[in-house]
């Protein structure tokens, strides 16, 4: 698997189809695990989608006292194992991006697992497959690199020139799961 | 103490040694110096000792984790704090009843799963209590007169019972009752694991299904033993008891290293009402940015300490940590950073300017001059540079 989840926040139109799709995914128990939120509701209606980064060294797993958050061979950070999770919510506070959700009724944490049953077989996750404005995409690594290059060119056309100190501000967010093998 | 520790290969081996010694002396004491030892259960006794070593090693390594250590330490500190007596006792009783005896949260996940887990856990607890009690000689039966049995616990005579009374029958059949409970529960669990598509998403054979098969093997062989000595006059009983012993030993060896290890780590759940969230869904610490309560000071201090001890650098330019903000604000900060929309320097908590100069609303508007100022001095740029918050 060498596919990338590619987010473009500006493209989000706030339809929340991704959340509805997330609820339908296997093992998601009819609860969405992604977010669509307003940047600043008083300022504009701009929304942005938010998913888990699937960190290589996840802070949520590091702060879990029960060692309940596990990473698959493919690098997907799974929800807390139900039998181990003691319901302390440390992961929701430890995560630098505020991703894990907590269910007080069943006393367990749940988070984006990139629709593990789909992405394991290279099928796009639910959110990416329904997004009408391509704010969330599940694409090849090469396609992502092309998009990033295009984005940089657009910035130049628009009169924004990245400099050495801030060039990363001009690159859209990308994340996903990497493996060394190309299989 | 230091010298004692130095005489072992590691701390873990020292703990294992202490545990085995405690077990050995408890056995020695409760069988009144090995007079009443049950030699038929010697194989179980040895495998239980190895099981205890395995459990000690796993628990030591688990406690050595930075996160576990910190949370457990705070819980122990709070436990012996006299001012917290009321809160502690309430938390302990609540966790014991809700999480361990009644297992309410699993019934919330579904009545089927609730019954299944309740059956397995209580069947196992009953069976383990009886098995360990008998193998280590902590509990034995003495015939005080031809019609009366007495239960002797740790070499101290306790209750007496009629040899054929109802209570006595329940006690004799304790293992059978436990086995039937486990059989029902593990059967239900295995059925769910095989048929439920949702569960299949993340389940692994060696982690989720193997323990069920092992539990089923133990209970089925154990129940066959009962059938053999009650209905078949002990036919093949000897061979079956050996097979049963082998399955039990496999289970005991597997216990500390597989899914069943969640049993000894469960009591840490007491830490949640005891040190963190006293009342469910009621928080006391408020977010630095939006002011909404989202956690409490002790927990955030713990999270920050755990992250710091593992070299996670999540400190922002103004000295706050990311965990000082609520999850919603953290998500927003990430999106703002990514879209170059952060608030200008001076008031990091002020309103956000969502117009970043690339997309201008309307056709008649012009971009500000600074947008085109490509050749600015580095000094000027630094003033305009957005700050992280």
């Amino acid at each position: 698997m060498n596919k990338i989840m590619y987010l473009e926040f500006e493209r989000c139109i706030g339809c929340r189809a991704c959340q509805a799709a997330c609820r339908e995914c296997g093992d998601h128990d009819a609860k969405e695990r992604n977010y669509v939120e307003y940047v600043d509701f008083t300022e504009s209606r701009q929304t942005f989608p938010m998913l888990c980064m699937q960190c290589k060294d996840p802070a949520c797993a590091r702060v879990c006292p029960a060692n309940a958050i596990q990473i698959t061979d493919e690098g997907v950070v799974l929800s807390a194992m139900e039998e181990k999770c003691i319901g302390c919510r440390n992961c929701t506070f430890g995560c630098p991006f505020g991703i894990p959700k907590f269910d007080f009724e069943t006393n367990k944490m749940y988070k984006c697992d990139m629709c593990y049953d789909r992405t394991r077989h290279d099928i796009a996750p639910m959110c990416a497959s329904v997004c009408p404005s391509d704010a969330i995409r599940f694409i090849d690594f090469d396609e992502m690199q092309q998009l990033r290059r295009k984005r940089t060119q657009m910035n130049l056309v628009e009169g924004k020139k990245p400099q050495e100190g801030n060039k990363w501000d001009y690159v859209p967010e990308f994340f996903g799961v990497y493996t060394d093998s190309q299989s | 103490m230091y010298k004692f520790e130095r005489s072992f290969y590691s701390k873990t081996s020292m703990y294992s040694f202490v545990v085995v010694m405690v077990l050995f002396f408890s056995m020695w004491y409760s069988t009144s110096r090995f007079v009443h030892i049950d030699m038929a259960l010697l194989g179980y006794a040895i495998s239980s000792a190895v099981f205890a070593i395995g459990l000690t090693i796993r628990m030591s390594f688990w406690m050595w984790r930075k996160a576990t250590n910190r949370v457990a330490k705070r819980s122990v500190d709070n436990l012996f704090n006299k001012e917290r007596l009321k809160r502690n006792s309430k938390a302990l009783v609540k966790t014991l009843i809700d999480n361990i005896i009644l297992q309410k949260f699993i019934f919330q996940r579904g009545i089927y799963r609730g019954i299944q887990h309740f059956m397995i856990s209580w069947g196992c607890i009953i069976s383990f209590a009886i098995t360990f009690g008998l193998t280590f000689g902590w509990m034995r039966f003495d015939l005080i007169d031809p019609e009366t049995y007495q239960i002797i616990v740790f070499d101290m005579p306790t209750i007496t019972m009629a040899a054929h009374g109802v209570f006595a029958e329940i006690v004799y059949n304790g293992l059978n009752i436990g086995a039937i409970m486990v059989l029902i529960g593990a059967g239900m669990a295995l059925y769910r694991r095989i048929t439920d598509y949702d569960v299949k998403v993340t389940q692994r054979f060696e982690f989720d299904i193997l323990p069920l098969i092992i539990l089923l093997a133990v209970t089925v062989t154990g129940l066959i033993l009962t059938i053999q000595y009650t209905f078949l006059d002990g036919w093949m009983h000897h061979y079956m008891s050996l097979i049963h012993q082998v399955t039990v030993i496999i289970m005991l060896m597997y216990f500390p290293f597989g899914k069943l290890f969640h049993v000894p780590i469960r009591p840490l759940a007491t830490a949640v009402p005891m040190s963190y969230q006293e009342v469910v869904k009621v928080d006391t610490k408020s977010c630095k940015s939006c002011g909404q309560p989202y956690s409490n000071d002790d927990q955030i201090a713990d999270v920050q300490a755990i992250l710091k001890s593992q070299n996670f650098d999540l400190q922002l330019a103004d000295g706050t940590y990311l965990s000082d903000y609520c999850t919603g604000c953290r998500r927003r900060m990430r999106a703002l950073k990514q879209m170059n929309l952060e608030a200008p320097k001076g008031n990091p908590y002020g309103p956000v300017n969502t117009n970043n100069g690339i997309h201008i609303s309307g056709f008649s508007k012009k971009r500000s001059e600074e947008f085109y100022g490509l050749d600015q001095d580095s000094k000027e740029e630094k003033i305009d540079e957005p700050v992280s918050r």
Side-chain angles (χ1 to χ4, degrees), chain A residues 27 35 37 39 43 50 53 64-65 82-83 85 88-90 92 95 97-98 106 158-159 173, chain B residues 62 65 68 109 113 198 207 266 277 283 299 310 330-332 334 338 340 352 367 371 374 381:
Chain A
D27 203 25
Y35 300 88
E37 285 173 349
V39 172
E43 185 79 18
M50 188 59 76
M53 293 272 279
C64 177
E82 291 186 2
E83 71 273 8
C85 179
C88 67
R89 295 194 297 158
N90 265 5
T92 61
C95 175
F97 314 112
T106 60
E158 294 284 351
E173 184 132 349
Chain B
W62 178 61
R65 291 182 77 244
T68 320
R109 294 174 193 175
R113 293 177 66 185
D198 282 354
F207 189 80
R266 257 291 132 191
Q277 199 176 39
D283 292 316
Q299 185 157 17
Q310 300 185 83
R330 253 177 278 155
R331 289 191 290 273
R332 217 162 64 94
R334 174 176 162 209
Q338 210 60 47
N340 279 323
V352 175
R367 293 196 169 108
F371 178 76
L374 293 173
E381 255 180 34

Side-chain angles (χ1 to χ4, degrees), chain A residues 18-20 22 32-36 50-51 101 112 127 136:
Chain A
C18 47
Q19 294 193 300
C22 190
E32 79 263 8
R33 299 174 174 209
N34 48 8
Y35 300 88
V36 175
M50 188 59 76
L51 311 170
K101 292 191 174 191
C112 167
C127 51
I136 308 171

